[in-house]
Structure formats: structure tokens, C-alpha cells
Amino acid sequence: GHSTPQDFSRLVQYVQEAMGEGKISEASEVAQGYFSALEKAPSAARAEELKRAPELLRVLAGVQTLPLMHTLAEPLSREILDETRLHWPCHVEATNCLALVAQNAGRFEDFEFVQKIATDLKRSITRRPSQHADCCGKALAGLLTPEALERLIESFLQRRSDPAWVRTATSLLTLIGPPGAEAAM
């Protein structure tokens, strides 16, 4: 059912402790349960939960939780791309969550995944650019931290002979727009 703020802070605390003790699968399981329940919640409740979710995503951040982030990004991407049930508050909060997931992945150089999220955000913007400037546009511009952007450029130069990688990196730099273009120069 719908969790109270108290339930949620207990959940965050549990995940934080599990992560601290290196119990990655326990932490992942609980987080996944939370996000699965959230997907079935009615729109207004889902928007509320999605607004809190970044706190949970932050305590989950780490290299061992990247597989979990891949799993969690799927419903979030569906949420932002779903035309049939576009619920604006949910859309905005899901966009925030996706940006966080991408920033975490970028920190560990999971750039193929970041590129996938960037593509989904771009698809969302393309539908109605003016309407999505503040949500998807903002998320896209901030998808990579300056450090991650620097690493992307470095590995782009190191792996120039790998055509698939060059495509991914070029696409990601193009998608994130001005910051990407400036960094590439």
C-alpha cells in the first residue's frame, strides 16, 4: 500500500545500513520492492513517492548497484514516455529520478547506460519541446557531472578505434547538448 513518510525514512535507513555492511542484494531487493509497488500506485500517490525516491536512489548509489539502476530505469523511462497516461507531476518526478540514476552510472563510466537514458529524455522532449524544457531538457543538460564528462572525453579519445564506442560517445555528447559540445572541443 501507500507508505507514510515514516515508513519511507525507515526504508531509507535500512537500505543505508545494508549498503554500509556490503549487503548489496538485500538493499537492492528492498529498493526494487519499493519501486515495484510504486508502479502500481495511483497517479497522485505515485507522484508523492517519486518525489521522495531520489533520497533512496542517493543511498543506493555505488558501483555494485549499477545492475539495480538498470532495472529501476526501465519503469522510470516508461513513465516519462507514456503518452496514454501522462500524469504531469509523475512525469516531472520520474525525470528527476532518471537524471540521478544517470549521474550515478556516469560516475562509474557506465556510459552506454547513460546514453540510453539520454535517448529516452530526448524522445520525450521531441514530442513537445516547449513543454519539456524544464523537466526533460534540464535533466538532459545535467546528466553527466563535470568529472564524468571529462572521463567520457578521455575514454572517447582512448577508444577511438572502437566504432561502436565512438557511436555511443558521440551520440551521448550530442544528446547532452552544449556542455557536451564544449567539452569535446
Side-chain angles (χ1 to χ4, degrees):
H2 186 48
S3 71
T4 64
Q6 289 76 15
D7 296 332
F8 183 74
S9 44
R10 271 198 296 275
L11 174 86
V12 170
Q13 203 179 345
Y14 173 81
V15 169
Q16 201 160 14
E17 283 164 17
M19 288 291 289
E21 292 161 18
K23 297 178 178 163
I24 306 304
S25 57
E26 282 94 329
S28 297
E29 229 165 273
V30 169
Q32 215 160 338
Y34 173 77
F35 277 94
S36 305
L38 191 155
E39 245 192 306
K40 297 178 196 79
S43 299
R46 204 166 65 248
E48 248 337 279
E49 297 289 351
L50 281 167
K51 203 189 218 92
R52 291 189 262 222
E55 199 187 329
L56 178 59
L57 291 170
R58 279 190 199 96
V59 299
L60 280 165
V63 71
Q64 304 101 316
T65 51
L66 280 177
L68 170 71
M69 296 289 172
H70 285 227
T71 308
L72 298 183
E74 283 170 33
L76 291 168
S77 284
R78 275 200 300 277
E79 180 83 56
I80 70 160
L81 291 169
D82 191 348
E83 281 289 334
T84 53
R85 61 165 200 175
L86 178 65
H87 181 262
W88 197 246
C90 284
H91 174 87
V92 172
E93 301 307 335
T95 306
N96 285 338
C97 291
L98 270 178
L100 257 178
V101 167
Q103 283 165 12
N104 183 46
R107 206 170 288 135
F108 303 104
E109 297 180 39
D110 188 356
F111 294 123
E112 279 86 357
F113 177 50
V114 178
Q115 192 265 345
K116 197 177 161 300
I117 293 177
T119 306
D120 289 340
L121 288 166
K122 188 68 177 178
R123 266 174 59 202
S124 173
I125 294 168
T126 312
R127 298 176 295 188
R128 276 180 226 93
S130 57
Q131 194 187 354
H132 290 282
D134 271 349
C135 44
C136 303
K138 217 182 247 151
L140 197 51
L143 267 199
L144 290 177
T145 61
E147 299 75 32
L149 187 52
E150 222 166 281
R151 276 302 301 140
L152 175 63
I153 306 289
E154 275 170 38
S155 49
F156 177 63
L157 297 172
Q158 284 159 2
R159 294 166 60 186
R160 265 187 308 226
S161 55
D162 172 352
W165 165 244
V166 168
R167 265 198 308 278
T168 299
T170 309
S171 156
L172 180 51
L173 287 167
T174 311
L175 285 163
I176 59 176
E182 277 165 38
M185 284 315 154

